[in-house]
Amino acid sequence: MMKTENIYLVWAHPRENSLTAQIAKTIRSESAEQGIGVTELDLYRRGFNPVLQQMDEPDWQNPQKRYSPEVHEYFAQMDGHDTAMIVFPVWWYSFPAMLKGYLDRVWNYGLAYGEGSTLPFKKVRMVALVGGSEDKFIQYGWQKNMSDYLKSSMGYLGIEDVSTTFLYNTIGVEADINDSADHYQQLFAQASEMVKALK
Ligand SMILES: Cc1cc2nc3c(=O)[nH]c(=O)nc-3n(C[C@H](O)[C@H](O)[C@H](O)COP(=O)(O)O)c2cc1C
């Protein structure tokens, strides 16, 4: 019997009808089609506070440190999922602060890494929405920089099966796209393919 996949879907966007939100929705519906379970964490609607305070600062001498209850709750929610899928708009060639703060606080020392601690995931799939064009993103080295950064940071956590899907031309400024509805359909199809490829 084929093993059932389970996705922990984390996404960050302030707007509920954003393209990012629609990509997250596509991932949910394609997963349902494929019989893949999804637990969703919509960081903005959940009211996550991304600012790491002293309470959640790692104590490098004590991997057993208790962090704020919220951090332990969010960490425990990931249990039983083999794939993390992280969907975000590229802001300043990086994560939105909301997502960066989630990783800072929840994927913390003594929980996600250090002293035999690990995340439950075997795979991480990043989906990065890029305002600009693929040509420029490659030309200026951003595709390689971001892929390498994401792969090596997940590698540090012991996860080797990591890939980033870039969805380009999300705002049409650098692209000559005649039919944005058609273009968005292609981006949704890319997201669906990524889910299908998990099996
Ligand atoms: C604060 C901010 C920073 C951004 N930085 C970049 C960037 O570095 N490179 C890029 O190609 N697009 C950038 N963009 C454009 C976003 O990637 C684009 O708005 C997003 O992918 C569109 O998806 P959405 O409708 O879900 O927001 C930025 C947008 C914002 C708001």
Side-chain angles (χ1 to χ4, degrees):
M1 205 178 88
M2 205 183 275
K3 196 180 152 304
T4 315
E5 299 277 343
N6 256 321
I7 297 174
Y8 193 75
L9 171 65
V10 184
W11 63 281
H13 200 289
R15 201 162 26 88
E16 235 172 333
N17 68 348
S18 59
L19 187 57
T20 303
Q22 293 175 56
I23 293 291
K25 193 172 160 202
T26 303
I27 290 169
R28 282 197 309 273
S29 50
E30 185 60 47
S31 300
E33 291 265 320
Q34 301 294 327
I36 298 174
V38 177
T39 304
E40 182 177 356
L41 175 55
D42 168 355
L43 287 164
Y44 274 90
R45 257 58 54 190
R46 198 67 75 84
F48 185 80
N49 178 358
V51 181
L52 187 152
Q53 303 286 359
Q54 188 174 344
M55 215 179 167
D56 295 329
E57 189 187 1
D59 175 351
W60 306 113
Q61 269 66 56
N62 176 21
Q64 264 80 49
K65 175 177 171 177
R66 289 298 294 176
Y67 300 113
S68 50
E70 195 188 10
V71 163
H72 290 279
E73 269 166 43
Y74 278 106
F75 191 82
Q77 275 173 26
M78 292 187 278
D79 218 25
H81 299 85
D82 32 37
T83 302
M85 213 168 261
I86 303 184
V87 184
F88 61 98
V90 170
W91 286 0
W92 290 104
Y93 304 101
S94 187
F95 296 123
M98 175 61 102
L99 181 56
K100 175 62 165 50
Y102 166 76
L103 298 173
D104 292 343
R105 291 186 63 207
V106 179
W107 293 26
N108 209 330
Y109 177 65
L111 296 174
Y113 67 100
E115 305 282 325
S117 324
T118 57
L119 287 159
F121 312 123
K122 304 270 175 297
K123 302 176 197 175
V124 175
R125 298 288 178 264
M126 302 275 179
V127 183
L129 286 85
V130 183
S133 71
E134 182 169 12
D135 286 359
K136 288 235 169 77
F137 211 66
I138 292 174
Q139 185 187 340
Y140 292 111
W142 289 112
Q143 194 189 66
K144 182 172 171 6
N145 285 352
M146 282 193 69
S147 308
D148 288 353
Y149 161 65
L150 295 169
K151 185 151 180 67
S152 60
S153 50
M154 293 303 116
Y156 183 78
L157 303 179
I159 306 169
E160 297 302 329
D161 188 350
V162 180
S163 69
T164 304
T165 300
F166 294 98
L167 305 180
Y168 289 105
N169 293 319
T170 57
I171 53 177
V173 171
E174 290 174 8
D176 186 14
I177 292 166
N178 294 322
D179 187 344
S180 63
D182 217 42
H183 177 60
Y184 287 172
Q185 287 310 319
Q186 284 173 27
L187 301 184
F188 298 143
Q190 245 183 292
S192 293
E193 284 309 314
M194 194 197 50
V195 172
K196 283 184 195 150
L198 284 176
K199 295 195 93 178

